[in-house]
Amino acid sequence: MTQQTQIRISARELSIDKGEPFQYDRLHRKPSCDLLTNLANCVDGPCTIAIDAAWGHGKTTFLQLWAAHLEQDAFLVIDVNAWKTDYFDDPFLAIVGEMTLQLKESGKVDVSEQSGFSKLKNCFAKVASIAPRALAAPYIALTDDDVTEIISTLKTDASIRLEQYKEQLDSVKAFRSELGSVAQEVWKETEKPLIVLVDELDRCRPTYAVEFLEVVKHLMAVDHVVYVFAINRSELAQTVSGCYGPGFNGKGYLRRFFDVDFTLPQPSRKSFINSHFEEQLEPLIPYRVQRDTKLLLLTFFDVDRISLRQIQQALHRFRLALVLAEQDTATFHYFAIEFCTALILRVYDPDILEEFLRGELSDKDVVERFLPSTVSVDSELFDARLLFGTAVVRAAQEIAGPNPSTEKYDPTPLLESYEKLATSTSVAPNLNSKEYFAMRLIENVQRLADPDNSYGQPMGVPHRFKRAVKRLEMLELLK
């Protein structure tokens, strides 16, 4: 019995070898990890570090790499995923709960009954249990006797609240003292500060995110503890402003909160795409179209407007489509160019792609809107432009369908424009000229429309783009 190819639906996270964390470092993050490790080694007092990067630029992977790197260097690292704990009402409970659990599991802290760790847990329980006492609701239609009773009640209530306030201050002071003692114990054991890595804060409920920051700022900043937040600063600043009301300076608040700001260097998308292609896609794509497929991905995804997370998700879906295609027909893999083109259009703008599929936008409209300005004029990207233009013309022909009277595809608006350009000169065009490009595209379209021109496989099979889109729709890539 032939073994069926196994499919993983969700994208697999980067596998990090604790002994060799940078073995699969596609984004070349080691220099940044080294820099921040040197900084952490120099920290004496309390410190909070913000690692800033846009959504999808690899903050989580960076924290995982850095955590492994820190552990190699004898640091004790606590990992806190804020988003996974924001169903708690109290961020203090979430962060201290994670810290105490992981400190105990580390084996580097004394957890006996008389230890600072046990005292820390006791203080934590007291601080977590304190809640402000609400004042009574306003009274209506008060008599003289009512007023006398209320004054007496308020005096008693104020006394109780003052006692609670003192109790709260004492509990917080005791908690901070014991947390400092545990941090000092870690320092004596490792000669390093305790590192607390906080991820996904900007995905949390706005109120929870702000409260999380306030808890760390006011209750947990002690010597020999470094808190590191992986954030999208602009998004988090908007969250803070939203919580405190219109006109509040969220960016200013964050500047007061973080001691060190570190922006992750812009990653190399090209290296990322190359690595994923070679590992995940290349084995599934016929050799004859591997180069063309890779060229399209590198040309259209190696741009600022596309995040690393978008690239990763798109390539994962591409691979999934190809694996599923393997179950249908051996020739389906030769639709790789059509798969790739549909994928590019969807990532850039799914709404425009839907309009194109419904015949509401022409191939000329699509090319003008989707080709990045650098791609449309760069002579070094001639082949990528040619591949993309050809695929879009073929797709437009399939969407329109053959002419009933001729049973052939009519010229599309884009093809007509290139036909005029190709016949506009009687001399041999320069290889970098628009006329030469037009001639090449026309030749490609004619060749692919010929069912007898096979390249070893049926390259002229009709409705390739439609079948590719249908496959992607089945994966819920197109909505």
Side-chain angles (χ1 to χ4, degrees), residues 77-109:
V77 180
I78 304 295
D79 293 306
V80 180
N81 187 311
W83 187 57
K84 290 182 179 179
T85 63
D86 87 337
Y87 59 88
F88 284 107
D89 290 330
D90 186 358
F92 179 71
L93 176 65
I95 187 171
V96 180
E98 282 293 324
M99 287 180 67
T100 53
L101 178 64
Q102 294 182 44
L103 282 169
K104 183 177 180 179
E105 292 176 345
S106 71
K108 295 183 179 181
V109 176

Side-chain angles (χ1 to χ4, degrees), residues 254-295:
L254 293 179
R255 279 196 299 270
R256 292 194 299 269
F257 178 77
F258 296 116
D259 301 307
V260 178
D261 290 300
F262 180 81
T263 302
L264 279 182
Q266 192 76 294
S268 169
R269 291 177 179 79
K270 185 168 293 186
S271 298
F272 187 75
I273 295 167
N274 270 320
S275 177
H276 270 280
F277 187 89
E278 291 169 6
E279 293 175 16
Q280 304 293 330
L281 295 174
E282 197 169 87
L284 299 172
I285 298 175
Y287 176 76
R288 287 185 180 274
V289 291
Q290 283 178 10
R291 173 190 168 277
D292 291 346
T293 307
K294 185 190 229 180
L295 181 60

Side-chain angles (χ1 to χ4, degrees), residues 17-222:
D17 185 341
K18 295 289 186 179
E20 197 174 346
F22 300 104
Q23 183 178 1
Y24 302 108
D25 178 19
R26 299 186 180 102
L27 303 183
H28 308 294
R29 295 302 197 190
K30 188 176 185 304
S32 295
C33 288
D34 288 337
L35 176 65
L36 288 171
T37 300
N38 291 336
L39 172 64
N41 268 315
C42 298
V43 168
D44 181 20
C47 181
T48 54
I49 300 174
I51 297 178
D52 181 25
W55 181 87
H57 277 59
K59 295 188 294 293
T60 296
T61 299
F62 177 80
L63 284 191
Q64 293 171 351
L65 285 170
W66 190 32
H69 187 52
L70 287 167
E71 289 169 357
Q72 275 190 324
D73 201 18
F75 283 87
L76 178 54
V77 180
I78 304 295
D79 293 306
V80 180
N81 187 311
W83 187 57
K84 290 182 179 179
T85 63
D86 87 337
Y87 59 88
F88 284 107
D89 290 330
D90 186 358
F92 179 71
L93 176 65
I95 187 171
V96 180
E98 282 293 324
M99 287 180 67
T100 53
L101 178 64
Q102 294 182 44
L103 282 169
K104 183 177 180 179
E105 292 176 345
S106 71
K108 295 183 179 181
V109 176
D110 180 10
V111 295
S112 64
E113 291 186 7
Q114 302 302 319
S115 67
F117 178 79
S118 293
K119 294 178 182 177
L120 174 66
K121 289 204 297 181
N122 292 334
C123 293
F124 160 52
K126 290 181 180 179
V127 175
S129 66
I130 294 173
R133 180 184 175 93
L135 288 172
Y139 286 85
I140 302 175
L142 303 178
T143 66
D144 290 341
D145 290 338
D146 290 332
V147 171
T148 301
E149 183 180 350
I150 290 171
I151 291 173
S152 175
T153 302
L154 287 175
K155 287 180 179 178
T156 304
D157 187 74
S159 176
I160 292 173
R161 294 183 73 237
L162 284 172
E163 289 178 6
Q164 288 181 335
Y165 178 69
K166 184 177 183 303
E167 179 186 354
Q168 184 177 20
L169 287 180
D170 290 343
S171 297
V172 170
K173 183 177 179 181
F175 172 80
R176 286 170 55 85
S177 175
E178 296 305 333
L179 179 58
S181 297
V182 171
Q184 181 67 28
E185 185 180 342
V186 172
W187 176 269
K188 289 180 180 179
E189 177 71 22
T190 64
E191 296 185 351
K192 313 280 185 181
L194 175 65
I195 307 293
V196 181
L197 303 179
V198 182
D199 194 17
E200 306 276 27
L201 187 66
D202 38 21
R203 293 183 66 186
C204 295
R205 290 178 288 114
T207 53
Y208 185 83
V210 171
E211 288 169 7
F212 200 108
L213 291 172
E214 295 286 2
V215 162
V216 172
K217 178 180 181 181
H218 296 300
L219 300 181
M220 306 186 67
V222 298

Side-chain angles (χ1 to χ4, degrees), residues 426-446:
S426 58
V427 299
N430 183 284
L431 296 183
N432 291 324
S433 67
K434 294 180 180 179
E435 291 78 10
Y436 179 73
F437 179 87
M439 292 171 58
R440 286 287 306 278
L441 187 139
I442 294 167
E443 291 172 359
N444 274 3
V445 172
Q446 292 174 344

